[in-house]
Amino acid sequence: FLVFFYSLLCHRRSVSRGSYQLQAQMNRAVYDERPPGSLVPTSVAEASRAMAGDTTLSENYAFAGMHHIFDQHVDSAVPRLQFANDDKHLLACCSLDGTLSIMTLSPPPPTVKVTLKGHAGPVTDFAWSLSNDIIVSTSKDGTLRIWNTEDGRCIREVADPEGSELLCCTFQPMNNNLTVVGNSKHHLQVVNISTGKKVKGGSSKLTGRVLSLSFDAPGRILWAGDDRGSIFSFLFDMATGKLTKAKRLVVNEGSPISSISARSWISREARDPSLLVNACVNKLLLYRVVDNEGTLQLKRSFPIQHGSQPLHSIFCPLMSFRQGACVVTGSEDACVYFFDVERNTKAIVNKLQGHSGPVLDVSFNCDESLLASSDATGMVIIWRREQK
């Protein structure tokens, strides 16, 4: 009953500190009480399916119509886009033209709410704070910038001490005062955004350019991927911000790790903590997290076209009330793919066509009614769920 009641409370992404702490407690319960690979009791799974009306994954992910197309960054790639936390209509993206856009989809018509200008080079990554009032961004100009999302004002600029290109960033989920940044000189660094100072003990070196970052939900484990094909796990000290290197996995020597996404569990039937990885090996990779040090074990792979572009993928945010589980990825063939991670054959649930270049990133809003995707030509498409 407790597990089922928890699914009622947390069927959307955790956004408050309290909900992250609750999720952390549930994660500890999963690690402590459950052997790897075990399943949720059948009665619980059946109950969750009943609440969903026993709809299939194909029905759940029947995205068909284009809701809107944004082209303000056309002719410059849009490498990242993300809906705001726990929000249906607020979306941001960054561009290699050196700017970021915050867009609102409601009330209609969809519009660009504010443009964030200040970077002197291509913007490589960004992240929303939990309360959506701040965005941090990284750029090849060697700076981290902190923005006010209401008026687009740059609150702070933090230069990389080595003067190197900054390639990725992420907030520490339990403490948004701390941001982790990866650079082109192989370094990972924890930064206090209130002071703009590096955190003592919060740095480490990878084998290559740091391209991707992801925390687990409680913020205890950080994974970092580089352009040499390695994924490192780090233990994060909540009190000090110190990083301790734990494990290393070589996915494929020389194949850049362009995206990492962590999920506490995929579905009610597949409770293992998991990591979703894009790695320039013409496959989307799904790993099982097997221990508290972030050790990874390959669970599934799905064929996509991915040889050179910085593609990204995501877990679908809703997971409690449906059968199976789904992940979505961009692809170099200009399509968006939906895969059922529990299906052994014919895993493609849906395929969206409409982009004219490699699809670099994808993002759901909080209730999965809309999906956004961006491509290498600068186009952003908002897809609408088909109404049954």
Side-chain angles (χ1 to χ4, degrees):
F1 175 81
L2 179 60
V3 172
F4 182 63
F5 180 69
Y6 175 73
S7 71
L8 288 172
L9 293 175
C10 297
H11 66 283
R12 293 191 296 187
R13 284 179 296 183
S14 303
V15 295
S16 68
R17 175 167 297 193
S19 59
Y20 267 103
Q21 289 171 336
L22 181 57
Q23 189 168 8
Q25 292 168 7
M26 294 299 295
N27 288 349
R28 284 194 291 273
V30 168
Y31 281 126
D32 296 342
E33 300 171 11
R34 179 188 57 83
S38 64
L39 301 179
V40 167
T42 304
S43 59
V44 176
E46 288 176 352
S48 67
R49 290 173 197 163
M51 291 195 69
D54 208 28
T55 54
T56 66
L57 271 183
S58 296
E59 290 170 329
N60 272 301
Y61 294 111
F63 284 80
M66 290 186 188
H67 179 68
H68 192 75
I69 296 175
F70 288 99
D71 62 358
Q72 68 270 22
H73 298 292
V74 75
D75 297 330
S76 292
V78 174
R80 301 305 312 270
L81 84 167
Q82 187 181 354
F83 275 97
N85 292 302
D86 200 32
D87 199 290
K88 293 182 182 181
H89 304 299
L90 197 60
L91 174 72
C93 68
C94 65
S95 172
L96 299 189
D97 67 11
T99 68
L100 300 94
S101 297
I102 299 176
M103 299 150 280
T104 181
L105 306 179
S106 182
T111 58
V112 177
K113 177 185 172 185
V114 64
T115 302
L116 311 182
K117 298 180 179 179
H119 279 297
V123 184
T124 52
D125 197 6
F126 75 95
W128 291 92
S129 66
L130 286 177
S131 55
N132 297 324
D133 58 339
I134 287 173
I135 278 179
V136 295
S137 63
T138 52
S139 170
K140 290 188 176 181
D141 67 6
T143 67
L144 170 76
R145 283 181 177 257
I146 300 124
W147 308 88
N148 181 309
T149 58
E150 276 301 311
D151 57 16
R153 177 171 47 91
C154 180
I155 301 170
R156 185 182 296 278
E157 178 183 347
V158 182
D160 183 75
E162 300 178 287
S164 60
E165 298 177 341
L166 298 183
L167 304 177
C168 55
C169 60
T170 188
F171 275 108
Q172 210 288 334
M174 295 295 285
N175 180 1
N176 273 191
N177 199 40
L178 300 178
T179 299
V180 184
V181 182
N183 74 15
S184 62
K185 292 187 177 177
H186 309 184
H187 282 110
L188 197 65
Q189 181 64 55
V190 182
V191 177
N192 184 317
I193 64 171
S194 294
T195 64
K197 300 289 181 64
K198 297 195 304 181
V199 172
K200 187 177 181 180
S203 62
S204 189
K205 190 168 186 179
L206 277 60
T207 52
R209 292 155 51 93
V210 186
L211 302 181
S212 50
L213 300 165
S214 183
F215 275 101
D216 67 349
R220 297 176 306 181
I221 303 174
L222 171 70
W223 287 275
D226 65 25
D227 68 346
R228 302 287 179 86
S230 291
I231 299 175
F232 291 84
S233 68
F234 297 86
L235 304 182
F236 189 92
D237 188 306
M238 297 286 192
T240 64
K242 182 181 178 181
L243 291 174
T244 303
K245 193 177 288 187
K247 301 291 183 178
R248 178 191 176 194
L249 171 72
V250 179
V251 175
N252 191 60
E253 192 71 45
S255 297
I257 309 296
S258 61
S259 175
I260 302 175
S261 298
R263 169 51 71 74
S264 302
W265 66 77
I266 309 176
S267 72
R268 299 193 63 81
E269 290 76 24
R271 288 291 295 277
D272 294 302
S274 300
L275 214 64
L276 191 63
V277 173
N278 292 93
C280 294
V281 290
N282 290 312
K283 294 175 184 176
L284 176 65
L285 306 171
L286 180 66
Y287 288 91
R288 180 182 291 112
V289 182
V290 299
D291 60 26
N292 288 319
E293 291 193 335
T295 303
L296 302 176
Q297 179 184 77
L298 185 64
K299 180 179 180 180
R300 287 291 304 274
S301 65
F302 307 94
I304 61 170
Q305 287 188 26
H306 187 194
S308 61
Q309 295 285 336
L311 304 187
H312 295 84
S313 56
I314 52 169
F315 291 97
C316 296
L318 301 183
M319 54 188 170
S320 298
F321 304 131
R322 67 165 60 103
Q323 185 174 2
C326 196
V327 295
V328 182
T329 184
S331 177
E332 290 176 359
D333 64 0
C335 296
V336 177
Y337 289 93
F338 295 66
F339 292 105
D340 180 352
V341 302
E342 302 299 323
R343 192 182 294 179
N344 291 324
T345 59
K346 298 181 179 178
I348 297 177
V349 174
N350 197 1
K351 175 182 176 182
L352 303 180
Q353 297 172 290
H355 285 281
S356 58
V359 180
L360 304 181
D361 201 6
V362 285
S363 178
F364 276 108
N365 67 351
C366 64
D367 68 354
E368 290 184 2
S369 60
L370 298 171
L371 174 75
S373 54
S374 64
D375 67 29
T377 73
M379 185 176 293
V380 172
I381 298 178
I382 313 298
W383 308 86
R384 182 178 61 251
R385 183 194 295 276
E386 193 174 74
Q387 297 299 317
K388 295 293 183 180

